[in-house]
Amino acid sequence: MNYKKNKLHIENILVDRVIKKFGTPTYCYSYNQLKDNILKFKNNFNNINPLICFAVKANNNIKILKEIGKLGLGADVVSRGELIAALDAKISPNKIVFSGVGKTYEEILFASQKKIFLINAESQSEIKTIVKVAKITKRRINIGIRLNPDVDAETIKEITTGKNSNKFGLNSSEVIKLINYCKTSKFINLKCLSVHIGSQILNHKPYLKMLKAVQKIIDKSNYQFEYIDLGGGMGINYRDNNKELNYNRYSLEIHKFIKKNNTKIIFEPGRSIIGNSGYLLTKIIYIKKTGKINFVIVDAGMNDLMRPALYKAYHKVIPSRKTKRKIFKRHDFVGPVCETTDKFISLNSYQKLNEGDNIVICDVGAYGKVLSSNYNLRLDANEILIKNSKVFRIRKKGTLQALLR
Ligand code: LLP
C-alpha cells in the first residue's frame, strides 16, 4: 500500500477506482502482502522446518485459504465448518490440525472420517469421546494434548489463553496423567504436545517461558513426542511504533529445543499471516460537527469490524486521497450502528474531510470479516482480492433476502 501523487494505491491499483466498482464497505486483500508474510514467516523459522498450519479462525475466505494452501501451509481449524472450508480450499487433510475446547462427538467423527493429521484434545472427557469415535470407526486417531502452561502472554487480557484462569488446555499434572493413559490405549496415537498462550504477542519472553513449561512435561513424562505444536500468537504492528517480536531469539530457543528433544514443530499462526494484508474500504456518509468533536460517520460499522468495540483495538484510519489542510480538532470515526461503542478511532487532528470521501481502515485481514455480524440487519461486506494487478471479487455482499429467509 502506498500513496502516489497523494492517491492511495494497493498493489498499484487506485483505491478510489476499486471503491467505484465494488462499493463500500468492502474488505480488500493484497495477495503480495500475504505471500510476503508467508515467506517471512518461513524464513524466520527456516532452521526449524516446521509444519505451518494457518489458523482459519483469523480468515476463512475460501479463495484466501486456497492461496495460503498453494503457498504451502496447512490449516488449524476449530469447528466442522472451518474443517470443511480448509478441505474445500484443497488443503491436504494430512496438514490439518483440529483445536478447541468444545469439539462435539459429531465433529470428532467427521474429522476422523476425513483422516486429518491431528486432533489437539483439551480435556479428559474429550479424549474419552475420541476413544468412542475410534472404536466406532475402527481407526486409531492421532491426537495431541494441549498444555495450559500458566504463562502470561503479556497481551490484551481478552486474548490471553495460557493462564490457569483461562478455559484452554490442561495443567501439567493433568497432562502427565493423560499421557500415561494414552500410552496404553489401542485407540489413540499420542503424537503431539500442544500449547498456545494467546494472540498479538510482541514480547518473546512469554514464549521462552512457555517452552520451559513444555520441556518440564517432556522431562517428567519421559515420553517421546513426534511433534510439539507451539500454537500461534505472533503479533503485528498495528501502530507504527509497535516494537517487533524478536523472532530471532524465539527461533534460536526452539532450535535448541528440537535438538535436545528430537521432535518436530507445528505452528498455528493466523494474524501474522493475513493481518496486514487486509483493508476495510469505507465512505464518509456524513460529518457531524459539534463544539468539541467532528463525528466522521462512515458506512462501515462495528458489525463489519468488531475489534475496536471488543478489545479497544487500534487500527489506522487513512484517507484515500491525502490533502495538505489539517484541522486541529478531535475527530471520532464512527459507524452507523446504534451503539456508542460503534467507534473505530478518536484522533486529535485530521486532514480536512468532506462527505463522500473514501476512508480506509488498515490491518483488518485477521479477525476482521470473520467476526462480523448482521447486527442492525446490515449486510455482509464484499470481499475482494488484488493479485497480479487484477481485482477479483472473492465473496459477494450478502442479500437481505437471504438474511430474512
Ligand atoms: N491456535 C490456537 C489454538 C488459537 O486459539 C489461536 C487464536 C491461534 C492458533 C491463532 O493465533 P494468532 O496467530 O492469530 O494470534 N479475535 C481476537 C484474536 C483471538 C485469537 C484466538 N485464538 C482478535 O481480534 O484479536
Side-chain angles (χ1 to χ4, degrees), residues 34 79 81 90 138 152 163 191 215 226 282 293 303 325 349 356 384 386:
L34 170 66
S79 68
K90 305 273 181 298
K138 300 199 170 58
D152 184 354
K163 291 288 292 171
K191 246 182 154 32
Q215 186 65 56
E226 191 181 341
T282 179
I293 306 172
N303 72 298
R325 212 172 131 207
S349 63
I384 61 174
I386 300 184

Side-chain angles (χ1 to χ4, degrees), residues 127-128 130-131 134 140-143 181-183 185-190:
I127 292 183
K128 280 191 188 150
I130 296 173
V131 169
R140 227 169 164 213
I141 298 180
N142 289 336
I143 75 156
Y181 167 78
C182 292
K183 269 186 202 167
S185 169
K186 309 196 285 269
F187 302 102
I188 276 174
N189 178 18
L190 178 59

Side-chain angles (χ1 to χ4, degrees), residues 142-400:
N142 289 336
I143 75 156
I145 296 177
R146 176 162 172 186
L147 167 71
N148 180 322
D150 196 21
V151 165
D152 184 354
E154 298 177 26
T155 177
I156 307 168
K157 183 170 106 275
E158 288 81 4
I159 54 175
T160 296
T161 55
K163 291 288 292 171
N164 60 11
S165 54
N166 303 137
K167 68 178 174 183
F168 302 97
L170 292 147
N171 69 30
S172 48
S173 60
E174 286 164 313
V175 169
I176 299 282
K177 240 180 25 207
L178 287 176
I179 292 173
N180 289 330
Y181 167 78
C182 292
K183 269 186 202 167
T184 59
S185 169
K186 309 196 285 269
F187 302 102
I188 276 174
N189 178 18
L190 178 59
K191 246 182 154 32
C192 177
L193 180 63
S194 81
V195 64
H196 171 81
I197 56 172
S199 197
Q200 185 52 14
I201 299 171
L202 290 167
N203 184 351
H204 64 282
K205 286 184 188 142
Y207 279 129
L208 305 190
K209 284 188 196 155
M210 173 187 95
L211 269 183
K212 278 197 181 134
V214 171
Q215 186 65 56
K216 268 194 191 152
I217 297 286
I218 296 178
D219 294 344
K220 252 198 194 156
S221 67
N222 204 19
Y223 186 80
Q224 178 62 49
F225 287 98
E226 191 181 341
Y227 283 90
I228 303 292
D229 179 343
L230 296 174
M234 296 78 176
I236 62 169
N237 286 353
Y238 286 104
R239 299 169 190 266
D240 293 331
N241 60 355
N242 269 157
K243 72 174 176 78
E244 282 217 28
L245 177 66
N246 189 340
Y247 277 96
N248 208 12
R249 265 310 300 284
Y250 187 27
S251 76
L252 271 176
E253 275 324 298
I254 299 173
H255 188 64
K256 279 191 236 161
F257 174 91
I258 56 177
K259 285 247 141 132
K260 178 169 170 164
N261 298 297
N262 186 27
T263 179
K264 290 179 264 189
I265 295 294
I266 301 172
F267 285 121
E268 304 168 350
R271 190 187 313 266
S272 51
I273 300 298
I274 190 74
N276 67 352
S277 76
Y279 302 85
L280 179 54
L281 314 182
T282 179
K283 193 181 269 305
I284 300 176
I285 311 174
Y286 299 119
I287 299 176
K288 184 156 78 174
K289 297 178 182 170
T290 68
K292 281 192 183 140
I293 306 172
N294 282 1
F295 289 100
V296 182
I297 304 167
V298 298
D299 65 359
M302 66 188 280
N303 72 298
D304 299 300
L305 176 66
M306 277 293 280
R307 300 195 71 254
L310 263 183
Y311 319 112
K312 298 198 168 59
Y314 179 95
H315 287 269
K316 265 183 277 181
V317 169
I318 60 175
S320 73
R321 275 161 194 263
K322 264 193 199 164
T323 59
K324 289 234 166 67
R325 212 172 131 207
K326 209 167 181 182
I327 307 287
F328 291 91
K329 184 177 172 186
R330 176 170 148 191
H331 286 65
D332 282 10
F333 288 81
V334 300
V337 171
C338 297
E339 295 272 349
T340 302
T341 50
D342 182 27
K343 178 164 103 181
F344 295 112
I345 199 165
S346 183
L347 297 166
N348 288 332
S349 63
Y350 209 80
Q351 74 174 42
K352 179 161 180 349
L353 292 170
N354 295 302
E355 294 176 352
D357 283 357
N358 295 326
I359 293 289
V360 175
I361 307 176
C362 300
D363 305 314
V364 298
Y367 309 107
K369 181 66 175 70
V370 287
L371 278 173
S372 69
S373 78
N374 300 109
Y375 186 40
N376 281 195
L377 255 186
R378 288 167 52 79
L379 305 180
D380 284 86
N382 266 315
E383 283 181 286
I384 61 174
L385 173 69
I386 300 184
K387 183 181 176 188
N388 299 335
S389 301
K390 288 201 191 92
V391 186
F392 303 91
R393 190 200 296 268
I394 56 172
R395 187 142 51 186
K396 271 197 183 157
K397 199 172 173 65
T399 65
L400 195 56

